[in-house]
């Protein structure tokens, strides 16, 4: 059985990205932090941290970290229940959410728990490809991902499809597509995309026989900044329709093509008996049904 304080210390180091930060968070000395980790490693029989800057978990450390997050959540839930809600601590949920879901609909889930004084959300943002990796490494306890492949020990729930449409500003359209959308126009029109793992623009231009690597591309790793980039006429992009519905009504943006692309989203979390995770999961499913496109 792992020690509660040692698990808490490992989490504090990973989340704070240093031994000193963990010491401040736990209100103990850096030496005590090191002693707890050494004790944990002796208990596990293997190193759990690579002493780099920032510290990184080893393969064994990833397993311990994942277990630690789940066990501490359950212990804190029990403390809250036994003390009839007089528990003074915090139930912190580390959840990986892709940027577009966070921008479009996930905050509605968080708002459902605004009247829960002991519950806080620690949102880790990433793209839909790497959110599941954060779950595997133990950095989070749940994740919104585009990968439906189930991780051993986890459960996966299908949420729906997020619709993306190609858009640009009115001025950009007049400069690059006044004669229509075709291969030549797309070859010379700059693209703005989230990052190098974002393949939506690549999928779109491929339908016109264009190799995206031959097109000038801006990388803007923020959903809202990406939208602002497009409004300023710097490039065109594939953007979630949910994010710009009101702006389409105001004719601030031009929809370049009526053909949408879709990203399927899933809820992934560890199999565990946790009331708070079950409550969050119910809200995630309920909100996604109102925001995402459901398969018929």
């Amino acid at each position: 059985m792992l020690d509660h304080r040692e698990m808490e210390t490992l989490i504090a180091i990973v989340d704070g990205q240093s031994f000193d930060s963990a010491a401040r968070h736990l209100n103990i000395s850096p030496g005590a932090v090191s002693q707890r980790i050494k004790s944990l490693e002796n208990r596990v029989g293997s190193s759990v941290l690579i002493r780099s800057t920032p510290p990184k978990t080893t393969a064994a450390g990833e397993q311990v970290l994942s277990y630690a997050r789940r066990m501490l959540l359950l212990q804190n839930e029990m403390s809250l229940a036994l003390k009839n809600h007089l528990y003074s601590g915090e139930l912190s949920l580390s959840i990986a959410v892709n940027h577009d879901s966070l921008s479009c609909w996930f905050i509605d889930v968080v708002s459902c728990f605004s009247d829960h004084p002991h519950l806080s959300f620690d949102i880790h943002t990433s793209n839909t490809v790497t959110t599941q990796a954060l779950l595997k490494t133990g950095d989070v306890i749940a994740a919104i991902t585009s990968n439906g492949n189930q991780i051993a020990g986890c459960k996966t729930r299908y949420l729906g499809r997020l619709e993306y449409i190609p858009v640009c500003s009115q001025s950009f359209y007049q400069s690059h597509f006044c004669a229509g959308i075709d291969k030549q126009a797309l070859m010379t029109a700059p693209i703005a995309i989230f990052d190098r793992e974002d393949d939506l623009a690549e999928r779109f231009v491929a339908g016109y026989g264009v190799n995206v690597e031959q097109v000038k591309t801006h990388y803007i790793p923020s959903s809202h900044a990406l939208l602002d980039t497009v409004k300023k006429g710097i490039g065109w992009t594939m953007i979630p329709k949910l994010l710009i519905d009101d702006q389409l009504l105001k004719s601030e943006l031009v929809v370049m093509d009526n053909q949408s692309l879709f990203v399927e989203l899933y809820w992934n979390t560890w199999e565990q008996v946790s009331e708070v995770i079950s409550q969050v999961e119910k809200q995630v499913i309920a909100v996604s049904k109102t925001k995402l496109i459901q398969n018929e």
Side-chain angles (χ1 to χ4, degrees), residues 259-272:
Q259 184 174 350
S260 301
L261 295 178
F262 299 89
V263 172
E264 295 189 326
L265 296 176
Y266 300 83
W267 168 257
N268 292 262
T269 189
W270 295 101
E271 289 281 7
Q272 59 196 17

Side-chain angles (χ1 to χ4, degrees), residues 110-160:
V110 177
S111 70
C112 294
F113 295 91
S114 58
D115 60 347
H116 288 55
H118 301 288
L119 179 61
S120 66
F121 286 82
D122 181 7
I123 304 298
H124 297 235
T125 56
S126 181
N127 57 48
T128 53
V129 176
T130 56
T131 47
Q132 195 176 64
L134 293 173
L135 184 62
K136 288 181 180 179
T137 58
D139 288 309
V140 299
I141 204 164
I144 303 292
T145 176
S146 61
N147 193 339
N149 296 331
Q150 191 163 339
I151 304 172
C154 285
K155 61 180 178 180
T156 300
R157 294 288 301 270
Y158 178 70
L159 298 177

